[in-house]
Amino acid sequence: MWKLLALLIMVMSCWTSMVEAEYFKYKDPKQPMNVRIKDLMKRMTLEEKIGQMTQIDKSVASNEVMKKYFIGSVLSIPLPISYPADEASPKAWIDMVNDYQKGSLSTRLGIPMIYGIDAVHGHNDVYKATIFPHNVGLGVTRQIGAATALEVRATGIRYAFAPCIAVCRDPRWGRCYESYSEDPKIVKLMTEIIPGLQGDIPAGSRKGVPFVGGQTKIAACAKHYLGDGGTHEGIDQGNTIIDAKGLFSIHMPAYYDSIIKGVATIMTSYSSWNGVKMHTNRYLVTDFLKNTLKFRGFVISDFQGLDRITTPIHANYTYSIIASMNAGIDMFMIGFNYTEFIDGLTYLVKKQFIPMSRVDDAVQRILRVKFTMGLFENPLADYSMVKYLGSQEHRNLAREAVRKTLVLLKNGKTTNKPLLPLPKKASKILVAGSHADNLGYQCGGWTIGWQGVSGNNITAGTTILSAVKKAVDPRTHVIYNENPSGDFVKSNKFDYAIVVVGELPYAETFGNSVNLTIPEPGPSTIKNVCGSVKCVVVLITGRPVVVQPYVETIDALVAAWLPGTEGQGVTDALFGDYGFTGKLARTWFKSVDQLPMNVGDSHYDPLYPFGFGLLTKA
């Protein structure tokens, strides 16, 4: 009897020890975050830590790769190779993300990965998502952030490489449409998109601590740190030549605000400051961002940013790893060749070229964001949020955003004879121009692909032509001719014409432009139509472009920027259902010879000044 009792006590004691051994503080959401981070850090090997610092592209990811290399993050670059399939459904995205996550969860410590994507004007790589206007024209920012977060979560993704808080000082820059304004005060205001994406940071929170609030929110990424919008002659990935006072007064204010609002991550820029690559700038990344501003989230490189530290690209990868690690970058957007990075960094740490303390700083920051996001408690996505992708509520919000971003630059050849609003009841009207019936052109770059696409079968949406047909009286005869001759226009006796022309889609370096002209047949269409009939020209562009040669010919001129999928926002204002209220957040130059030219410059002589915009009543 006593022997049996002793045996039973021993078995229970062993079982209790096993249960206690299975208790990990880092898995306990009741534990303080710093306790969880510390507990997990002490359990991690070097290989597991370096895995956490590695972000790979979907095209090279798999359940097995996640497990073998302890990969901390996966991304989808904006190319078809990085999507689950063409026109993939939200469920297909969720299933893909969850498969990679299950690989991460099956590792020794079960650290969940974080999946990231470029959601820069809505969930722009996903079929049938709501595409909002690009930043160049935005106004209702917080609501757009909240809607974007829901659509990203609808596909199982929880991290967006947005917002871009660049201050574009030269429209020749190919990314100018990703910038809210040339004015740092406006860009600073637009950081309101961050609480839209992440949720409102709780009262009393410590400055710099990342915050992501609940299952309807995602981690944001303020980019590109620092000065990417101020490069010499607007050259993408170029050199920002400016003194410290200028850098900190123009390009830094929005980062102060982002950090106060709890932004989870910050992305370094491809560009340089006075010849020093931002990916190697220890002063700005570690000394200022981390130590002075107390940023506690993680710093991520831009895509293959390591490779671009050297010229030619990838010329000295060992140097690039050392320089970027010592600068203070925490997570590396490697993309494809991740084993080279992992092997290289492992060797450099083991040989003490990079201190272990630097690795630990990076991993602690990454884990802090993951704990904040609730990834350890809820690592897998379900289908419950699929309904939010492309929802009517979000399309209505996008339509509202479009009409608020429109800027009326001219209305009538004389001020006492305005052309707008246009009458809905007319005998016959003409709609012309390369951009009138092209959803891809209307959305611009970063839409179902990096450089954008042409055509109307790319995603769900409403072209401006379709919107015109919906807006006018059913008895009004709408004629569409993309590039009509002058004789055609004269012979048809139109009541008026709507001409929609602009830039072709582009992104990043491919958008660099020295002349900023509207490509043909845009100018020919304006000449042929507006020379023969009363016309309003609607410009679909990512920035101010050369229009002075055509202004006299045109009766009314509207800057519609890159409005996205909801073309009815344009016709809402054209036909007077809503008034024009938009004001220029960018200076509209007369000639490219004036560039760079920003409000406050001594040589300021614009065609349309910063803050200009004619008003109409609904």
Side-chain angles (χ1 to χ4, degrees):
M1 173 76 176
W2 291 110
K3 285 184 179 179
L4 183 63
L5 188 60
L7 183 64
L8 185 62
I9 291 169
M10 192 169 71
V11 169
M12 288 180 69
S13 177
C14 288
W15 182 79
T16 304
S17 297
M18 286 171 65
V19 170
E20 285 176 353
E22 286 300 309
Y23 173 73
F24 299 119
K25 286 182 180 177
Y26 77 88
K27 291 185 177 181
D28 184 356
K30 294 176 182 175
Q31 291 287 343
M33 186 181 296
N34 286 341
V35 171
R36 299 178 78 184
I37 293 169
K38 188 175 179 181
D39 181 62
L40 183 48
M41 286 292 295
K42 74 181 183 186
R43 300 174 190 277
M44 294 175 73
T45 64
L46 177 61
E47 289 69 26
E48 286 165 333
K49 290 176 179 178
I50 288 174
Q52 283 303 302
M53 298 168 67
T54 309
Q55 186 180 67
I56 66 173
D57 182 64
K58 173 263 170 193
S59 61
V60 295
S62 68
N63 184 294
E64 293 73 26
V65 166
M66 303 304 291
K67 194 184 307 182
K68 181 178 178 181
Y69 294 98
F70 313 105
I71 298 297
S73 184
V74 181
L75 84 153
S76 278
I77 60 171
L79 292 172
I81 60 165
S82 213
Y83 307 155
D86 289 342
E87 301 184 2
S89 68
K91 289 182 179 180
W93 281 92
I94 288 170
D95 291 342
M96 176 191 75
V97 173
N98 279 349
D99 181 51
Y100 301 147
Q101 190 67 283
K102 286 170 184 174
S104 295
L105 297 176
S106 69
T107 57
R108 184 178 72 91
L109 295 170
I111 304 172
M113 66 88 189
I114 178 174
Y115 202 103
I117 198 164
D118 285 289
V120 298
H121 62 141
H123 201 5
N124 45 259
D125 286 333
V126 176
Y127 184 61
K128 292 190 175 179
T130 308
I131 308 298
F132 292 94
H134 268 296
N135 290 358
V136 67
L138 272 190
V140 284
T141 311
R142 177 185 278 253
Q143 301 98 302
I144 287 173
T148 299
L150 287 170
E151 298 215 6
V152 172
R153 287 298 295 253
T155 56
I157 297 171
R158 294 164 74 165
Y159 179 27
F161 307 126
C164 177
I165 52 174
V167 182
C168 175
R169 303 291 284 177
D170 192 326
R172 291 173 293 186
W173 184 37
R175 303 190 79 149
C176 202
Y177 64 75
E178 296 184 55
S179 167
Y180 294 108
S181 178
E182 70 191 40
D183 182 357
K185 291 191 288 294
I186 288 179
V187 178
K188 185 178 175 183
L189 286 172
M190 292 304 177
T191 60
E192 273 299 291
I193 198 167
I194 291 168
L197 292 164
Q198 296 191 158
D200 287 302
I201 193 163
S205 294
R206 286 177 61 193
K207 179 191 168 187
V209 176
F211 175 76
V212 184
Q215 73 158 37
T216 63
K217 299 300 180 182
I218 59 176
C221 180
K223 66 182 189 182
H224 307 87
Y225 186 83
L226 181 72
D228 52 336
T231 58
H232 180 60
E233 297 181 349
I235 295 168
D236 190 41
Q237 304 179 28
N239 188 21
T240 301
I241 305 167
I242 192 170
D243 61 18
K245 183 181 177 183
L247 185 79
F248 282 81
S249 63
I250 295 171
H251 299 285
M252 189 66 83
Y255 286 95
Y256 298 147
D257 251 36
S258 300
I259 291 165
I260 289 166
K261 287 169 179 166
V263 73
T265 73
I266 290 175
M267 186 186 295
T268 41
S269 176
Y270 289 131
S271 60
S272 304
W273 176 38
N274 294 336
V276 178
K277 290 273 188 181
M278 281 306 310
H279 277 69
T280 68
N281 196 315
R282 181 177 174 84
Y283 166 66
L284 284 175
V285 176
T286 293
D287 297 345
F288 195 79
L289 183 63
K290 290 183 174 182
N291 295 342
T292 302
L293 297 186
K294 308 296 183 190
F295 175 60
R296 303 284 297 285
F298 68 77
V299 177
I300 187 168
S301 77
D302 206 335
F303 184 73
Q304 295 181 337
L306 257 69
D307 303 67
R308 304 185 198 201
I309 287 171
T310 56
T311 306
I313 287 173
H314 202 81
N316 187 338
Y317 203 56
T318 300
Y319 164 76
S320 296
I321 294 172
I322 294 172
S324 56
M325 276 293 291
N326 287 339
I329 294 174
D330 305 310
M331 183 179 282
F332 292 83
M333 199 184 290
I334 300 302
F336 311 114
N337 198 3
Y338 56 90
T339 55
E340 181 185 18
F341 169 73
I342 290 171
D343 292 345
L345 180 52
T346 303
Y347 172 84
L348 290 167
V349 175
K350 285 182 175 178
K351 296 295 182 182
Q352 299 182 345
F353 289 101
I354 294 169
M356 195 67 200
S357 59
R358 180 69 270 277
V359 174
D360 287 345
D361 170 57
V363 178
Q364 285 165 2
R365 290 168 175 278
I366 292 163
L367 294 177
R368 182 176 292 113
V369 170
K370 289 186 175 185
F371 281 123
T372 300
M373 293 171 71
L375 275 172
F376 283 80
E377 287 68 57
N378 297 292
L380 297 173
D382 58 35
Y383 302 134
S384 64
M385 298 184 73
V386 163
K387 62 186 177 185
Y388 291 113
L389 190 91
S391 70
Q392 191 57 50
E393 183 182 353
H394 293 170
R395 293 192 182 281
N396 293 343
L397 175 63
R399 181 175 175 176
E400 177 192 351
V402 172
R403 60 178 178 256
K404 286 183 175 179
T405 64
L406 302 172
V407 181
L408 181 57
L409 299 173
K410 182 179 180 181
N411 190 15
K413 289 189 174 171
T414 58
T415 53
N416 61 346
K417 287 189 178 178
L419 179 64
L420 301 180
L422 297 168
K424 292 181 180 180
K425 289 183 179 179
S427 174
K428 186 166 57 171
I429 66 174
L430 172 67
V431 178
S434 53
H435 290 55
D437 192 33
N438 194 312
L439 197 61
Y441 287 1
Q442 198 171 295
C443 292
W446 295 103
T447 309
I448 316 295
W450 179 33
Q451 294 297 320
V453 284
S454 174
N456 290 334
N457 60 349
I458 62 160
T459 191
T462 305
T463 68
I464 293 170
L465 173 63
S466 300
V468 169
K469 290 177 177 177
K470 289 178 182 179
V472 296
D473 187 275
R475 289 162 293 186
T476 299
H477 193 31
V478 179
I479 304 292
Y480 172 59
N481 188 322
E482 186 174 325
N483 187 23
S485 66
D487 291 340
F488 173 85
V489 179
K490 287 172 187 170
S491 63
N492 267 279
K493 297 183 180 177
F494 294 109
D495 292 81
Y496 58 83
I498 299 169
V499 178
V500 191
V501 294
E503 295 184 295
L504 301 179
Y506 57 83
E508 298 190 47
T509 305
F510 293 91
N512 287 352
S513 173
V514 293
N515 54 37
L516 293 175
T517 52
I518 302 167
E520 285 289 354
S524 299
T525 306
I526 293 172
K527 181 181 175 184
N528 292 343
V529 176
C530 298
S532 306
V533 67
K534 286 187 294 185
C535 79
V536 53
V537 172
V538 178
L539 292 174
I540 306 294
T541 68
R543 53 201 164 185
V545 291
V546 174
V547 293
Q548 193 175 32
Y550 325 117
V551 170
E552 285 301 311
T553 314
I554 293 167
D555 293 276
L557 180 61
V558 176
W561 313 111
L562 297 169
T565 51
E566 308 312 304
Q568 286 174 275
V570 176
T571 53
D572 282 344
L574 288 181
F575 292 101
D577 294 324
Y578 292 83
F580 280 92
T581 58
K583 302 289 184 181
L584 286 178
R586 298 211 55 81
T587 297
W588 205 295
F589 58 87
K590 292 176 180 175
S591 161
V592 289
D593 297 335
Q594 297 173 295
L595 299 177
M597 178 177 66
N598 295 284
V599 64
D601 288 350
S602 58
H603 65 290
Y604 198 67
D605 182 28
L607 180 63
Y608 300 110
F610 175 90
F612 179 82
L614 301 172
L615 306 179
T616 62
K617 292 181 180 178

